[in-house]
Amino acid sequence: MFETPFVVDLFIDGELVKPSSGRYSERFDPGDDGRLIGVVADGSRDVGRALDAARDAFDRDVGGWTTDHKLRSRVLFKTAEIIRENAEKLAVVESLFSGKTIRTSRLGDVPRSAEILEFYAGVADKLIGTSQVLKTGDLVAIVKQPAGVVAAITPWNFPLVILCRQVAPALAAGCTVVVKPASHTPVSAVKLAEMLHRAGAPKGVFNVVTGSGATVGRELVRSEKVDVVNFTGETSTGKGIMEAAAGTLKRVVLELGGKNPNIVFEDADLERAANAVVYGAYANNGESCAAGSRLLVQSTVKEKFVRMVVDRVKRIRVGYQLDENSDMGPLVSREQMEKVLEYVGAADSEGLKIITGGRRITSGLFSRGNYVEPTVVDDTPPDSKLFKEEIFGPVLTVTEFGSEEEAVELANSTVYGLAAGVWSNDTGKALRTAEKVKAGAVWVNTYYTLPVEMPWGGFKQSGIGRNNTVLAVEHYLEHKGIYVDGQQGPMRPYYRLVLSG
Ligand code: NDP
């Protein structure tokens, strides 16, 4: 379907361009590291060029982008249509570079990306302000205007869908954008740029600069030409970004890490819960901020439930990411695999019991990729490294609780607060727990369902602001007040410094 390696150039001011550095870095297949799959432009000397294009498109309202709501709506709808027409190619790209299974990309990432664009296409032409005539006869109008140039910095685990989540509301609002995609997965951003421009986005509206976070990302965050930074990635990187953005007082939207609990009460539908717990922990190879990586289960059903979970985990088929039969693929990189194996090693040295998994898979093709067994660690205490830290891989910890209060306390005992699952057939108990858990998203008797209608963002150190829903558009708007005095003739007395006449 594709010739590899992909040559990934920059996309600036409406066209593909070569990097001024003349340098490209290499990307290898996470499932077969002997295979070169991409050569990626080092755009470290081109950030200024991309920012000038985005700034100019915004300040001069090139093609009417910042003022023509209907144009933006049409472009976003059309881009979604192009995504659907090219769904299979995009799915292959998503999986090839990230290691996620082809089924995940086909059934999840690609259609969800189109849905996000369609949702914001529907929002773009409805961003209308409000106005009110005061009792004095004066008018106050609140006018919604786009905030300016947005820098979007994206992670590698959902290259297209997270990118769409970050940029679609900004585009709907009338902003222009410069994207710095994750170094592991740069293709989708350039493809989205091409599709947006094919759909009619004016030049300069959407630009992509590939290269490292330390150079390209850092420059974007510090630049005076950027008004809003939307970042998805690690909590530690997010903290650095917030600090750097303070220099010019930019707005920041941060979607960061998670260490999400799946709380299973004794009265839950255990069959349904076991399926969802396994899905929540191992979908996308466990490389997800939303992964339900901590199972909290009530003591009375713990033994039985863990057996049900382990039985399912043992049936997960690990394989090459483009193989239709794989349930889990390789991790994105050698470093990511080593990080995950280090955590498993820490479980060993903390004396925790690994019930299943725990090793790198090295037989046959597996020896050439970053394959790790899906792993379950039993009886993980709340002070354990594995309980507290985001592993970002296929590792599920198990911790038991006695009461509803204890479940909530355990759920809330990490620095993160992104998501949680609650399982119970007692609606009152489920809702009380959902209410008390400090997380931006709580799923009751389900897990991972994240349509664009569901707000997405974190409490505590999981982030600032919300992506998804109409709420997200607010990050990219300025609300300007315009006051019109309805009175003719002299100013009202209380406005005059010198009273006369
Ligand atoms: P990183 O924080 O390492 O990187 C994210 C992006 O930031 C990459 O494009 C990276 O570039 C760039 N970057 C790195 N350093 C800087 C810097 N100093 N200034 C500006 N940009 C920088 O995260 P990962 O890519 O490893 O993604 C995994 C993390 O993302 C996990 O912690 C996960 O929880 C989180 N995440 C959160 C989500 C949410 O919705 N809350 C969703 C998905 C992931 P480069 O690739 O070149 O290093």
Side-chain angles (χ1 to χ4, degrees), residues 153-158 162 165 180-184 211-214 216-218 221 231-235 237-238 241 254-258 288-290 336 390 392 418 456-457 462 467:
I153 302 177
T154 65
W156 44 259
N157 57 342
F158 293 93
I162 286 185
R165 208 149 72 195
K180 204 255 15 117
S183 295
H184 291 305
S212 79
V216 176
R218 192 169 183 277
V221 174
F231 167 80
T232 303
E234 278 184 27
T235 292
T237 319
I241 284 179
L254 303 173
E255 295 291 345
L256 309 175
S288 168
C289 52
Q336 189 62 21
E390 183 180 47
F392 224 62
L418 189 59
W456 186 240
S462 285
N467 286 323

mmCIF file of all heavy atoms in Angstrom, residues 153-158 162 165 180-184 211-214 216-218 221 231-235 237-238 241 254-258 288-290 336 390 392 418 456-457 462 467, ligand 1:
data_model
loop_
_atom_site.group_PDB
_atom_site.id
_atom_site.type_symbol
_atom_site.label_atom_id
_atom_site.label_comp_id
_atom_site.label_asym_id
_atom_site.label_seq_id
_atom_site.Cartn_x
_atom_site.Cartn_y
_atom_site.Cartn_z
ATOM 1 N N ILE A 153 1.406 20.645 20.630
ATOM 2 C CA ILE A 153 2.518 19.691 20.795
ATOM 3 C C ILE A 153 1.905 18.357 21.212
ATOM 4 O O ILE A 153 1.179 18.284 22.200
ATOM 5 C CB ILE A 153 3.520 20.209 21.852
ATOM 6 C CG1 ILE A 153 4.040 21.591 21.421
ATOM 7 C CG2 ILE A 153 4.673 19.226 22.036
ATOM 8 C CD1 ILE A 153 4.980 22.256 22.406
ATOM 9 N N THR A 154 2.165 17.316 20.410
ATOM 10 C CA THR A 154 1.383 16.079 20.569
ATOM 11 C C THR A 154 2.255 14.878 20.955
ATOM 12 O O THR A 154 3.448 14.856 20.670
ATOM 13 C CB THR A 154 0.633 15.769 19.252
ATOM 14 O OG1 THR A 154 1.592 15.500 18.229
ATOM 15 C CG2 THR A 154 -0.251 16.908 18.814
ATOM 16 N N PRO A 155 1.627 13.861 21.580
ATOM 17 C CA PRO A 155 2.357 12.652 21.958
ATOM 18 C C PRO A 155 2.269 11.571 20.872
ATOM 19 O O PRO A 155 1.604 11.775 19.857
ATOM 20 C CB PRO A 155 1.612 12.204 23.209
ATOM 21 C CG PRO A 155 0.191 12.562 22.902
ATOM 22 C CD PRO A 155 0.217 13.800 22.048
ATOM 23 N N TRP A 156 2.900 10.425 21.137
ATOM 24 C CA TRP A 156 2.992 9.385 20.103
ATOM 25 C C TRP A 156 1.934 8.299 20.230
ATOM 26 O O TRP A 156 1.824 7.443 19.366
ATOM 27 C CB TRP A 156 4.378 8.725 20.128
ATOM 28 C CG TRP A 156 4.887 8.396 21.507
ATOM 29 C CD1 TRP A 156 5.799 9.117 22.227
ATOM 30 C CD2 TRP A 156 4.525 7.288 22.346
ATOM 31 N NE1 TRP A 156 6.034 8.531 23.456
ATOM 32 C CE2 TRP A 156 5.254 7.400 23.553
ATOM 33 C CE3 TRP A 156 3.644 6.202 22.202
ATOM 34 C CZ2 TRP A 156 5.152 6.487 24.610
ATOM 35 C CZ3 TRP A 156 3.536 5.287 23.252
ATOM 36 C CH2 TRP A 156 4.283 5.435 24.433
ATOM 37 N N ASN A 157 1.165 8.292 21.310
ATOM 38 C CA ASN A 157 0.325 7.108 21.533
ATOM 39 C C ASN A 157 -0.983 7.115 20.742
ATOM 40 O O ASN A 157 -1.525 6.055 20.447
ATOM 41 C CB ASN A 157 0.083 6.888 23.027
ATOM 42 C CG ASN A 157 -0.548 8.077 23.692
ATOM 43 O OD1 ASN A 157 -0.520 9.186 23.155
ATOM 44 N ND2 ASN A 157 -1.121 7.878 24.857
ATOM 45 N N PHE A 158 -1.489 8.304 20.425
ATOM 46 C CA PHE A 158 -2.677 8.410 19.547
ATOM 47 C C PHE A 158 -2.379 9.555 18.573
ATOM 48 O O PHE A 158 -2.965 10.643 18.690
ATOM 49 C CB PHE A 158 -3.933 8.729 20.356
ATOM 50 C CG PHE A 158 -4.371 7.634 21.283
ATOM 51 C CD1 PHE A 158 -3.954 7.601 22.604
ATOM 52 C CD2 PHE A 158 -5.196 6.607 20.824
ATOM 53 C CE1 PHE A 158 -4.346 6.593 23.462
ATOM 54 C CE2 PHE A 158 -5.599 5.589 21.685
ATOM 55 C CZ PHE A 158 -5.171 5.576 23.005
ATOM 56 N N ILE A 162 -5.459 12.356 18.917
ATOM 57 C CA ILE A 162 -5.152 13.411 19.898
ATOM 58 C C ILE A 162 -4.844 14.721 19.174
ATOM 59 O O ILE A 162 -5.237 15.797 19.612
ATOM 60 C CB ILE A 162 -4.002 12.986 20.840
ATOM 61 C CG1 ILE A 162 -4.541 11.946 21.819
ATOM 62 C CG2 ILE A 162 -3.431 14.186 21.606
ATOM 63 C CD1 ILE A 162 -3.571 11.504 22.898
ATOM 64 N N ARG A 165 -8.076 16.209 18.406
ATOM 65 C CA ARG A 165 -8.685 16.740 19.633
ATOM 66 C C ARG A 165 -8.059 18.082 20.005
ATOM 67 O O ARG A 165 -8.725 18.970 20.500
ATOM 68 C CB ARG A 165 -8.431 15.728 20.744
ATOM 69 C CG ARG A 165 -9.445 15.714 21.809
ATOM 70 C CD ARG A 165 -9.604 14.342 22.420
ATOM 71 N NE ARG A 165 -8.487 13.968 23.249
ATOM 72 C CZ ARG A 165 -8.253 12.713 23.655
ATOM 73 N NH1 ARG A 165 -9.053 11.747 23.279
ATOM 74 N NH2 ARG A 165 -7.242 12.430 24.418
ATOM 75 N N LYS A 180 3.781 20.558 16.471
ATOM 76 C CA LYS A 180 5.020 19.788 16.614
ATOM 77 C C LYS A 180 4.610 18.385 17.038
ATOM 78 O O LYS A 180 4.241 18.142 18.181
ATOM 79 C CB LYS A 180 5.934 20.410 17.679
ATOM 80 C CG LYS A 180 7.350 20.050 17.478
ATOM 81 C CD LYS A 180 8.036 19.051 18.326
ATOM 82 C CE LYS A 180 7.849 18.037 19.244
ATOM 83 N NZ LYS A 180 8.302 16.717 18.825
ATOM 84 N N PRO A 181 4.618 17.445 16.088
ATOM 85 C CA PRO A 181 4.202 16.090 16.459
ATOM 86 C C PRO A 181 5.318 15.356 17.203
ATOM 87 O O PRO A 181 6.485 15.743 17.111
ATOM 88 C CB PRO A 181 3.946 15.417 15.105
ATOM 89 C CG PRO A 181 4.788 16.166 14.128
ATOM 90 C CD PRO A 181 4.988 17.558 14.668
ATOM 91 N N ALA A 182 4.949 14.289 17.924
ATOM 92 C CA ALA A 182 5.957 13.479 18.621
ATOM 93 C C ALA A 182 6.953 12.923 17.615
ATOM 94 O O ALA A 182 6.577 12.540 16.490
ATOM 95 C CB ALA A 182 5.266 12.344 19.361
ATOM 96 N N SER A 183 8.196 12.835 18.002
ATOM 97 C CA SER A 183 9.238 12.384 17.077
ATOM 98 C C SER A 183 9.005 10.949 16.587
ATOM 99 O O SER A 183 9.342 10.613 15.460
ATOM 100 C CB SER A 183 10.612 12.462 17.740
ATOM 101 O OG SER A 183 10.912 13.803 18.002
ATOM 102 N N HIS A 184 8.401 10.109 17.435
ATOM 103 C CA HIS A 184 8.168 8.718 17.009
ATOM 104 C C HIS A 184 7.096 8.619 15.924
ATOM 105 O O HIS A 184 7.084 7.669 15.154
ATOM 106 C CB HIS A 184 7.697 7.867 18.199
ATOM 107 C CG HIS A 184 8.761 7.644 19.228
ATOM 108 N ND1 HIS A 184 9.991 7.108 18.917
ATOM 109 C CD2 HIS A 184 8.780 7.870 20.558
ATOM 110 C CE1 HIS A 184 10.723 7.013 20.018
ATOM 111 N NE2 HIS A 184 10.012 7.489 21.025
ATOM 112 N N GLY A 211 10.619 17.484 14.403
ATOM 113 C CA GLY A 211 11.904 17.695 15.074
ATOM 114 C C GLY A 211 11.726 17.421 16.549
ATOM 115 O O GLY A 211 10.632 17.040 16.991
ATOM 116 N N SER A 212 12.750 17.642 17.321
ATOM 117 C CA SER A 212 12.687 17.210 18.720
ATOM 118 C C SER A 212 11.946 18.220 19.604
ATOM 119 O O SER A 212 11.856 19.411 19.292
ATOM 120 C CB SER A 212 14.101 16.999 19.255
ATOM 121 O OG SER A 212 14.656 18.252 19.572
ATOM 122 N N GLY A 213 11.475 17.712 20.743
ATOM 123 C CA GLY A 213 10.840 18.580 21.726
ATOM 124 C C GLY A 213 11.818 19.613 22.269
ATOM 125 O O GLY A 213 11.461 20.773 22.504
ATOM 126 N N ALA A 214 13.056 19.173 22.435
ATOM 127 C CA ALA A 214 14.067 20.049 23.038
ATOM 128 C C ALA A 214 14.396 21.256 22.151
ATOM 129 O O ALA A 214 14.813 22.300 22.662
ATOM 130 C CB ALA A 214 15.332 19.248 23.308
ATOM 131 N N VAL A 216 12.465 22.160 18.616
ATOM 132 C CA VAL A 216 11.248 22.723 17.994
ATOM 133 C C VAL A 216 10.187 23.045 19.058
ATOM 134 O O VAL A 216 9.636 24.152 19.101
ATOM 135 C CB VAL A 216 10.683 21.737 16.944
ATOM 136 C CG1 VAL A 216 9.376 22.265 16.364
ATOM 137 C CG2 VAL A 216 11.698 21.480 15.852
ATOM 138 N N GLY A 217 9.937 22.076 19.944
ATOM 139 C CA GLY A 217 8.908 22.268 20.983
ATOM 140 C C GLY A 217 9.253 23.446 21.874
ATOM 141 O O GLY A 217 8.418 24.315 22.149
ATOM 142 N N ARG A 218 10.494 23.477 22.303
ATOM 143 C CA ARG A 218 10.944 24.522 23.234
ATOM 144 C C ARG A 218 10.773 25.908 22.605
ATOM 145 O O ARG A 218 10.286 26.840 23.242
ATOM 146 C CB ARG A 218 12.418 24.244 23.538
ATOM 147 C CG ARG A 218 12.980 25.033 24.672
ATOM 148 C CD ARG A 218 14.358 24.484 25.051
ATOM 149 N NE ARG A 218 14.858 25.205 26.203
ATOM 150 C CZ ARG A 218 15.471 26.369 26.113
ATOM 151 N NH1 ARG A 218 15.686 26.918 24.941
ATOM 152 N NH2 ARG A 218 15.882 26.983 27.204
ATOM 153 N N VAL A 221 7.090 27.047 22.460
ATOM 154 C CA VAL A 221 6.512 27.405 23.756
ATOM 155 C C VAL A 221 6.982 28.787 24.201
ATOM 156 O O VAL A 221 6.253 29.529 24.852
ATOM 157 C CB VAL A 221 6.885 26.328 24.807
ATOM 158 C CG1 VAL A 221 6.434 26.751 26.182
ATOM 159 C CG2 VAL A 221 6.255 25.000 24.437
ATOM 160 N N PHE A 231 -0.816 21.249 24.844
ATOM 161 C CA PHE A 231 0.179 20.190 24.952
ATOM 162 C C PHE A 231 -0.449 18.925 25.508
ATOM 163 O O PHE A 231 -1.209 18.978 26.478
ATOM 164 C CB PHE A 231 1.306 20.653 25.894
ATOM 165 C CG PHE A 231 2.226 19.548 26.323
ATOM 166 C CD1 PHE A 231 3.249 19.108 25.482
ATOM 167 C CD2 PHE A 231 2.085 18.928 27.557
ATOM 168 C CE1 PHE A 231 4.103 18.072 25.870
ATOM 169 C CE2 PHE A 231 2.931 17.897 27.951
ATOM 170 C CZ PHE A 231 3.944 17.478 27.105
ATOM 171 N N THR A 232 -0.141 17.801 24.923
ATOM 172 C CA THR A 232 -0.482 16.508 25.514
ATOM 173 C C THR A 232 0.801 15.718 25.659
ATOM 174 O O THR A 232 1.543 15.554 24.685
ATOM 175 C CB THR A 232 -1.486 15.723 24.642
ATOM 176 O OG1 THR A 232 -2.648 16.524 24.456
ATOM 177 C CG2 THR A 232 -1.899 14.428 25.314
ATOM 178 N N GLY A 233 1.056 15.240 26.864
ATOM 179 C CA GLY A 233 2.274 14.462 27.083
ATOM 180 C C GLY A 233 2.478 14.226 28.558
ATOM 181 O O GLY A 233 1.533 14.295 29.351
ATOM 182 N N GLU A 234 3.718 13.978 28.913
ATOM 183 C CA GLU A 234 4.027 13.627 30.301
ATOM 184 C C GLU A 234 3.846 14.810 31.248
ATOM 185 O O GLU A 234 4.120 15.952 30.870
ATOM 186 C CB GLU A 234 5.464 13.158 30.396
ATOM 187 C CG GLU A 234 5.631 11.726 30.019
ATOM 188 C CD GLU A 234 7.048 11.249 30.215
ATOM 189 O OE1 GLU A 234 7.750 11.823 31.072
ATOM 190 O OE2 GLU A 234 7.435 10.328 29.505
ATOM 191 N N THR A 235 3.504 14.500 32.481
ATOM 192 C CA THR A 235 3.306 15.541 33.488
ATOM 193 C C THR A 235 4.580 16.365 33.677
ATOM 194 O O THR A 235 4.530 17.600 33.751
ATOM 195 C CB THR A 235 2.843 14.901 34.811
ATOM 196 O OG1 THR A 235 1.527 14.382 34.586
ATOM 197 C CG2 THR A 235 2.787 15.907 35.943
ATOM 198 N N THR A 237 6.983 16.997 31.546
ATOM 199 C CA THR A 237 7.172 17.894 30.393
ATOM 200 C C THR A 237 6.183 19.051 30.487
ATOM 201 O O THR A 237 6.518 20.209 30.226
ATOM 202 C CB THR A 237 6.952 17.145 29.049
ATOM 203 O OG1 THR A 237 7.546 15.862 29.124
ATOM 204 C CG2 THR A 237 7.509 17.903 27.878
ATOM 205 N N GLY A 238 4.961 18.744 30.881
ATOM 206 C CA GLY A 238 3.914 19.767 31.003
ATOM 207 C C GLY A 238 4.289 20.852 31.998
ATOM 208 O O GLY A 238 4.024 22.042 31.776
ATOM 209 N N ILE A 241 6.676 23.143 30.391
ATOM 210 C CA ILE A 241 6.008 23.959 29.378
ATOM 211 C C ILE A 241 5.265 25.122 30.038
ATOM 212 O O ILE A 241 5.318 26.265 29.576
ATOM 213 C CB ILE A 241 5.084 23.076 28.513
ATOM 214 C CG1 ILE A 241 5.977 22.295 27.542
ATOM 215 C CG2 ILE A 241 4.022 23.886 27.784
ATOM 216 C CD1 ILE A 241 5.283 21.359 26.634
ATOM 217 N N LEU A 254 -3.184 21.756 29.162
ATOM 218 C CA LEU A 254 -2.268 20.637 29.387
ATOM 219 C C LEU A 254 -3.050 19.352 29.644
ATOM 220 O O LEU A 254 -3.839 19.287 30.592
ATOM 221 C CB LEU A 254 -1.373 20.923 30.602
ATOM 222 C CG LEU A 254 -0.519 22.199 30.563
ATOM 223 C CD1 LEU A 254 0.160 22.419 31.911
ATOM 224 C CD2 LEU A 254 0.522 22.119 29.455
ATOM 225 N N GLU A 255 -2.844 18.359 28.792
ATOM 226 C CA GLU A 255 -3.411 17.019 29.024
ATOM 227 C C GLU A 255 -2.241 16.123 29.376
ATOM 228 O O GLU A 255 -1.400 15.834 28.531
ATOM 229 C CB GLU A 255 -4.073 16.485 27.748
ATOM 230 C CG GLU A 255 -5.266 17.267 27.279
ATOM 231 C CD GLU A 255 -6.454 17.132 28.193
ATOM 232 O OE1 GLU A 255 -6.472 16.225 29.043
ATOM 233 O OE2 GLU A 255 -7.359 17.965 28.078
ATOM 234 N N LEU A 256 -2.197 15.669 30.628
ATOM 235 C CA LEU A 256 -0.970 15.012 31.094
ATOM 236 C C LEU A 256 -1.226 13.561 31.501
ATOM 237 O O LEU A 256 -2.168 12.951 31.025
ATOM 238 C CB LEU A 256 -0.383 15.859 32.230
ATOM 239 C CG LEU A 256 -0.225 17.354 31.868
ATOM 240 C CD1 LEU A 256 0.249 18.160 33.058
ATOM 241 C CD2 LEU A 256 0.725 17.558 30.691
ATOM 242 N N GLY A 257 -0.372 13.060 32.369
ATOM 243 C CA GLY A 257 -0.431 11.631 32.681
ATOM 244 C C GLY A 257 -1.623 11.216 33.515
ATOM 245 O O GLY A 257 -2.391 12.047 34.019
ATOM 246 N N GLY A 258 -1.764 9.901 33.671
ATOM 247 C CA GLY A 258 -2.838 9.352 34.494
ATOM 248 C C GLY A 258 -2.396 8.044 35.140
ATOM 249 O O GLY A 258 -1.463 7.395 34.675
ATOM 250 N N SER A 288 -1.413 4.368 27.248
ATOM 251 C CA SER A 288 -2.485 5.344 27.170
ATOM 252 C C SER A 288 -2.614 6.056 28.506
ATOM 253 O O SER A 288 -2.572 5.421 29.565
ATOM 254 C CB SER A 288 -3.801 4.629 26.826
ATOM 255 O OG SER A 288 -4.871 5.505 27.013
ATOM 256 N N CYS A 289 -2.797 7.367 28.417
ATOM 257 C CA CYS A 289 -3.003 8.143 29.633
ATOM 258 C C CYS A 289 -4.289 7.705 30.318
ATOM 259 O O CYS A 289 -4.460 7.858 31.510
ATOM 260 C CB CYS A 289 -3.097 9.618 29.285
ATOM 261 S SG CYS A 289 -4.311 9.910 28.007
ATOM 262 N N ALA A 290 -5.219 7.147 29.528
ATOM 263 C CA ALA A 290 -6.520 6.747 30.058
ATOM 264 C C ALA A 290 -6.524 5.301 30.541
ATOM 265 O O ALA A 290 -7.548 4.817 31.031
ATOM 266 C CB ALA A 290 -7.580 6.921 28.981
ATOM 267 N N GLN A 336 10.955 2.814 25.620
ATOM 268 C CA GLN A 336 9.678 2.628 26.303
ATOM 269 C C GLN A 336 9.596 1.205 26.857
ATOM 270 O O GLN A 336 9.155 0.991 27.979
ATOM 271 C CB GLN A 336 8.523 2.909 25.335
ATOM 272 C CG GLN A 336 7.155 2.952 25.971
ATOM 273 C CD GLN A 336 7.015 4.067 27.022
ATOM 274 O OE1 GLN A 336 7.775 5.028 27.011
ATOM 275 N NE2 GLN A 336 6.069 3.907 27.924
ATOM 276 N N GLU A 390 3.029 6.424 36.719
ATOM 277 C CA GLU A 390 2.477 6.021 35.428
ATOM 278 C C GLU A 390 3.511 5.161 34.698
ATOM 279 O O GLU A 390 4.624 5.609 34.452
ATOM 280 C CB GLU A 390 2.166 7.273 34.603
ATOM 281 C CG GLU A 390 1.513 6.938 33.288
ATOM 282 C CD GLU A 390 1.213 8.177 32.461
ATOM 283 O OE1 GLU A 390 2.100 9.030 32.328
ATOM 284 O OE2 GLU A 390 0.095 8.260 31.934
ATOM 285 N N PHE A 392 2.804 3.379 31.698
ATOM 286 C CA PHE A 392 2.579 3.575 30.265
ATOM 287 C C PHE A 392 2.988 2.339 29.465
ATOM 288 O O PHE A 392 3.762 2.395 28.519
ATOM 289 C CB PHE A 392 3.347 4.810 29.781
ATOM 290 C CG PHE A 392 2.521 5.672 28.864
ATOM 291 C CD1 PHE A 392 1.356 6.268 29.312
ATOM 292 C CD2 PHE A 392 2.902 5.892 27.547
ATOM 293 C CE1 PHE A 392 0.585 7.049 28.472
ATOM 294 C CE2 PHE A 392 2.139 6.676 26.695
ATOM 295 C CZ PHE A 392 0.979 7.260 27.170
ATOM 296 N N LEU A 418 -6.886 11.789 36.245
ATOM 297 C CA LEU A 418 -7.394 11.895 34.872
ATOM 298 C C LEU A 418 -8.723 11.162 34.693
ATOM 299 O O LEU A 418 -9.713 11.753 34.282
ATOM 300 C CB LEU A 418 -6.333 11.358 33.894
ATOM 301 C CG LEU A 418 -6.606 11.584 32.419
ATOM 302 C CD1 LEU A 418 -6.753 13.068 32.111
ATOM 303 C CD2 LEU A 418 -5.498 10.985 31.565
ATOM 304 N N TRP A 456 -12.634 15.914 28.315
ATOM 305 C CA TRP A 456 -11.425 15.138 28.593
ATOM 306 C C TRP A 456 -10.327 16.041 29.136
ATOM 307 O O TRP A 456 -9.893 16.973 28.464
ATOM 308 C CB TRP A 456 -10.957 14.441 27.311
ATOM 309 C CG TRP A 456 -9.817 13.510 27.563
ATOM 310 C CD1 TRP A 456 -8.573 13.580 27.018
ATOM 311 C CD2 TRP A 456 -9.810 12.360 28.429
ATOM 312 N NE1 TRP A 456 -7.793 12.558 27.492
ATOM 313 C CE2 TRP A 456 -8.538 11.784 28.375
ATOM 314 C CE3 TRP A 456 -10.765 11.767 29.266
ATOM 315 C CZ2 TRP A 456 -8.178 10.661 29.101
ATOM 316 C CZ3 TRP A 456 -10.416 10.637 29.998
ATOM 317 C CH2 TRP A 456 -9.137 10.098 29.897
ATOM 318 N N GLY A 457 -9.901 15.760 30.368
ATOM 319 C CA GLY A 457 -8.841 16.549 30.984
ATOM 320 C C GLY A 457 -8.731 16.141 32.435
ATOM 321 O O GLY A 457 -9.549 15.367 32.932
ATOM 322 N N SER A 462 -2.848 15.873 36.500
ATOM 323 C CA SER A 462 -3.171 15.321 35.178
ATOM 324 C C SER A 462 -3.494 16.405 34.164
ATOM 325 O O SER A 462 -3.790 16.098 33.002
ATOM 326 C CB SER A 462 -4.333 14.336 35.274
ATOM 327 O OG SER A 462 -3.891 13.131 35.849
ATOM 328 N N ASN A 467 -10.204 19.195 26.851
ATOM 329 C CA ASN A 467 -10.392 19.002 25.420
ATOM 330 C C ASN A 467 -11.752 18.335 25.229
ATOM 331 O O ASN A 467 -12.407 17.961 26.198
ATOM 332 C CB ASN A 467 -9.268 18.119 24.850
ATOM 333 C CG ASN A 467 -7.942 18.879 24.759
ATOM 334 O OD1 ASN A 467 -7.915 20.065 24.445
ATOM 335 N ND2 ASN A 467 -6.853 18.202 25.038
HETATM 336 P P1 NDP B 1 6.419 13.632 26.260
HETATM 337 O O1 NDP B 1 6.022 14.596 27.302
HETATM 338 O O2 NDP B 1 7.772 13.050 26.324
HETATM 339 O O3 NDP B 1 6.303 14.281 24.819
HETATM 340 C C1 NDP B 1 5.119 14.862 24.327
HETATM 341 C C2 NDP B 1 5.473 15.859 23.257
HETATM 342 O O4 NDP B 1 6.200 16.931 23.846
HETATM 343 C C3 NDP B 1 6.368 15.307 22.162
HETATM 344 O O5 NDP B 1 6.004 15.897 20.938
HETATM 345 C C4 NDP B 1 7.748 15.748 22.614
HETATM 346 O O6 NDP B 1 8.690 15.810 21.571
HETATM 347 C C5 NDP B 1 7.425 17.132 23.151
HETATM 348 N N1 NDP B 1 8.406 17.675 24.090
HETATM 349 C C6 NDP B 1 9.304 17.013 24.837
HETATM 350 N N2 NDP B 1 10.030 17.886 25.582
HETATM 351 C C7 NDP B 1 9.570 19.125 25.285
HETATM 352 C C8 NDP B 1 9.925 20.452 25.711
HETATM 353 N N3 NDP B 1 10.871 20.674 26.614
HETATM 354 N N4 NDP B 1 9.245 21.499 25.206
HETATM 355 C C9 NDP B 1 8.256 21.311 24.308
HETATM 356 N N5 NDP B 1 7.911 20.084 23.848
HETATM 357 C C10 NDP B 1 8.537 18.999 24.340
HETATM 358 O O7 NDP B 1 5.311 12.505 26.269
HETATM 359 P P2 NDP B 1 5.233 11.226 25.346
HETATM 360 O O8 NDP B 1 5.273 11.562 23.910
HETATM 361 O O9 NDP B 1 6.204 10.242 25.873
HETATM 362 O O10 NDP B 1 3.740 10.756 25.605
HETATM 363 C C11 NDP B 1 3.406 9.972 26.672
HETATM 364 C C12 NDP B 1 2.815 10.807 27.807
HETATM 365 O O11 NDP B 1 1.700 11.529 27.347
HETATM 366 C C13 NDP B 1 2.296 9.977 28.947
HETATM 367 O O12 NDP B 1 2.748 10.504 30.167
HETATM 368 C C14 NDP B 1 0.787 10.115 28.856
HETATM 369 O O13 NDP B 1 0.108 9.961 30.040
HETATM 370 C C15 NDP B 1 0.625 11.455 28.263
HETATM 371 N N6 NDP B 1 -0.630 11.518 27.558
HETATM 372 C C16 NDP B 1 -1.680 12.215 28.113
HETATM 373 C C17 NDP B 1 -2.911 12.220 27.497
HETATM 374 C C18 NDP B 1 -4.070 12.970 28.086
HETATM 375 O O14 NDP B 1 -5.047 13.152 27.382
HETATM 376 N N7 NDP B 1 -4.003 13.407 29.310
HETATM 377 C C19 NDP B 1 -3.142 11.515 26.250
HETATM 378 C C20 NDP B 1 -1.977 10.840 25.752
HETATM 379 C C21 NDP B 1 -0.773 10.856 26.396
HETATM 380 P P3 NDP B 1 9.606 14.517 21.216
HETATM 381 O O15 NDP B 1 8.689 13.468 20.740
HETATM 382 O O16 NDP B 1 10.522 15.012 20.185
HETATM 383 O O17 NDP B 1 10.295 14.142 22.512
#
